[in-house]
Amino acid sequence: MFSIMTLTPKGTHSFAFDREMAIALMKWHIAVALLVICVIGRPSVADEQNDQNVLESQCKAQVARKCLEVPLVLWDNSISFVTVKLSGKPYLFMVDTGTAMICLDAQIAKELSRTPGIVQMDRQSNKYLRISEMRMGDLYLKNVPAYTYEMTSLFSSYDLPSQPKLAGLIGGSLLKSFAVTIDLEQRKMLLALSAKTLDPRSLVIPFELNGDRPVISVSVDGKARKKFIVDSGAYQIALIPKSWLKGRSVKRSGTHMWMDGGAHPAALLRLDLVLGNILRSQELCEIDLDEAAAPEDVTDAEIGNGLLNQFRTTVDYPRRRLILAPISSSAWMRFAQEGEMFRLHDQYQMAVKSFTSAILLNPRCPLLYLKRASVYKHSNQDVLALRDRKRARELATDRQP
């Protein structure tokens, strides 16, 4: 016999159970617990739309009180990263307007899911998850919906000495609640309800959303307008499919790497681009030579950081407009971006010319000398490469406090 003592408002009572009854009661509790686990499991993350609505509500509630600031980490003088804390631990994420969602590296997601309360993986799909707590500068969010992705393929095409250890992407599912300003000169990203007073010299271009990605209309080389994704995670000035350039002779000079790690044959070509009503004359564009690329697929064309970084760029999601405000560093940045594209396509003579032009405009930037040194090294001009590396070290030492 088992004796169970219970405390009631009127005193203590004793109830006696025989062994069979106790076992039956225990089995009943176990059965109920298993049923709860099977039906409910961990908190459900299947309702993605509901998760997204909750995320938007959190974002709008915080930005309604003040403009939020997020410090930027600029990699290779081009790609903008932010430090994101997941349950207090810092990780490096790329600000990527060309991605529709928040992504977390698959391996990191797997490691974090082993500790309860940090990342909750979906029971039905190992690609979908919730991040319990996430802080990005002034922005603090809970139960953030995200997807896993293999981040190692993102920078496989960039032959540079220091590859960023990328943990994830900040995409449109979060950014679309804000007017997002990328201020490279101040090294910060601003999140506001709407864009501030415009510089009268600013270029304002309306856009539409395609899967939470901003898409603008651009005329290419005097032809009919085409749709381009505004992609802050893309390296080049513009990526264009060859099928859009019928009648033009294009010679392969390199390879374009897609996010999935796939390689497409590519070429460089100077083209006139008309954004809004403003002519961008003779921009160095990368041409995707893959004949299988669908000519009308909006994902085939991108406006990347090579152009966006020449401005103080604001993607005003609530009002559907791209604002490009002039900055003092636009000239040398343009030469630096072109130099990098020439370098990636093994056009070393043109790369040296572009980096030299950038250095003449910004002679105290160590990275520009390192870039030119890399080109000299690839073209077997070791003496010049050593000279540039020495100058870069001197400038870096001068900057130290």
Side-chain angles (χ1 to χ4, degrees):
M1 299 288 289
F2 294 87
S3 180
I4 298 179
M5 305 297 295
T6 62
L7 184 63
T8 71
K10 294 186 178 181
T12 302
H13 297 271
S14 176
F15 298 91
F17 291 86
D18 58 24
R19 182 181 183 84
E20 288 74 15
M21 185 180 295
I23 293 175
L25 186 62
M26 185 180 299
K27 288 182 177 179
W28 182 82
H29 279 294
I30 293 173
V32 171
L34 289 174
L35 180 63
V36 170
I37 292 173
C38 291
V39 175
I40 301 178
R42 291 174 289 183
S44 174
V45 293
D47 189 355
E48 298 179 31
Q49 186 57 52
N50 181 66
D51 289 345
Q52 185 59 43
N53 292 339
V54 171
L55 175 63
E56 287 185 45
S57 297
Q58 292 185 75
C59 291
K60 291 177 180 178
Q62 292 190 51
V63 79
R65 295 191 293 269
K66 65 173 183 176
C67 176
L68 307 177
E69 289 193 8
V70 182
L72 285 180
V73 178
L74 193 60
W75 176 73
D76 196 36
N77 220 46
S78 178
I79 307 293
S80 296
F81 294 100
V82 292
T83 299
V84 175
K85 291 186 177 180
L86 306 181
S87 294
K89 187 174 180 180
Y91 294 91
L92 201 61
F93 279 62
M94 181 167 68
V95 180
D96 192 359
T97 59
T99 297
M101 62 202 73
I102 300 170
C103 294
L104 180 63
D105 180 68
Q107 183 59 38
I108 293 176
K110 183 178 180 181
E111 293 172 358
L112 292 177
S113 66
R114 294 170 184 159
T115 302
I118 299 181
V119 167
Q120 175 197 331
M121 305 296 294
D122 183 23
R123 291 180 293 108
Q124 299 179 354
S125 170
N126 60 1
K127 297 291 186 182
Y128 187 64
L129 55 89
R130 269 187 188 148
I131 300 170
S132 300
E133 291 185 349
M134 174 177 161
R135 182 177 291 279
M136 185 176 71
D138 292 337
L139 183 65
Y140 174 74
L141 302 168
K142 289 186 175 182
N143 298 322
V144 180
Y147 286 83
T148 59
Y149 188 81
E150 296 291 343
M151 295 294 162
T152 53
S153 65
L154 280 179
F155 294 97
S156 57
S157 64
Y158 301 143
D159 176 25
L160 291 168
S162 57
Q163 303 291 339
K165 186 172 177 55
L166 189 61
L169 308 174
I170 300 297
S173 60
L174 186 151
L175 299 174
K176 69 179 181 180
S177 297
F178 308 103
V180 181
T181 298
I182 305 295
D183 191 334
L184 298 183
E185 293 184 318
Q186 299 295 321
R187 293 292 194 271
K188 62 185 178 182
M189 177 171 68
L190 303 176
L191 306 176
L193 278 177
S194 61
K196 294 183 178 180
T197 304
L198 298 179
D199 184 317
R201 299 171 297 167
S202 296
L203 172 61
V204 181
I205 306 169
F207 67 76
E208 59 187 58
L209 283 181
N210 179 286
D212 290 338
R213 299 175 300 174
V215 177
I216 63 173
S217 177
V218 180
S219 174
V220 180
D221 221 26
K223 303 293 193 303
R225 288 183 175 272
K226 298 288 187 178
K227 292 182 177 180
F228 283 69
I229 294 173
V230 179
D231 190 353
S232 65
Y235 211 95
Q236 65 277 342
I237 291 171
L239 173 67
I240 300 172
K242 181 186 176 183
S243 56
W244 289 8
L245 302 174
K246 294 179 181 179
R248 290 290 296 265
S249 176
V250 183
K251 183 179 179 181
R252 176 176 177 171
S253 61
T255 300
H256 172 77
M257 301 298 294
W258 289 90
M259 277 186 62
D260 60 4
H264 289 191
L268 293 178
L269 198 62
R270 289 195 180 276
L271 300 170
D272 289 338
L273 303 180
V274 179
L275 293 79
N277 294 319
I278 304 298
L279 173 66
R280 298 287 300 178
S281 180
Q282 295 294 292
E283 293 286 356
L284 186 65
C285 302
E286 189 170 36
I287 313 301
D288 187 348
L289 301 181
D290 185 6
E291 297 292 348
E296 299 303 325
D297 185 354
V298 72
T299 60
D300 280 346
E302 300 169 343
I303 292 293
N305 274 328
L307 190 145
L308 298 176
N309 285 357
Q310 299 175 33
F311 303 89
R312 186 176 188 264
T313 299
T314 298
V315 184
D316 190 344
Y317 286 90
R319 299 181 67 177
R320 302 287 194 273
R321 57 182 184 168
L322 174 68
I323 303 170
L324 303 177
I327 57 176
S328 59
S329 60
S330 60
W332 74 262
M333 285 284 289
R334 180 177 185 178
F335 284 122
Q337 296 289 351
E338 290 190 355
E340 183 59 21
M341 294 310 304
F342 283 127
R343 189 189 70 82
L344 291 173
H345 283 255
D346 298 335
Q347 297 185 29
Y348 299 131
Q349 185 175 355
M350 294 300 296
V352 167
K353 183 178 178 181
S354 294
F355 285 130
T356 300
S357 296
I359 288 170
L360 289 173
L361 294 171
N362 189 11
R364 300 196 63 78
C365 178
L367 183 60
L368 294 178
Y369 290 92
L370 289 176
K371 292 275 194 179
R372 193 171 66 177
S374 174
V375 177
Y376 282 141
K377 183 69 175 177
H378 279 89
S379 54
N380 298 317
Q381 300 182 67
D382 293 341
V383 174
L384 294 176
L386 285 172
R387 185 193 66 183
D388 272 2
R389 282 199 291 268
K390 179 181 178 182
R391 180 58 179 154
R393 285 194 298 270
E394 292 172 350
L395 290 171
T397 302
D398 291 343
R399 287 187 174 189
Q400 294 177 0

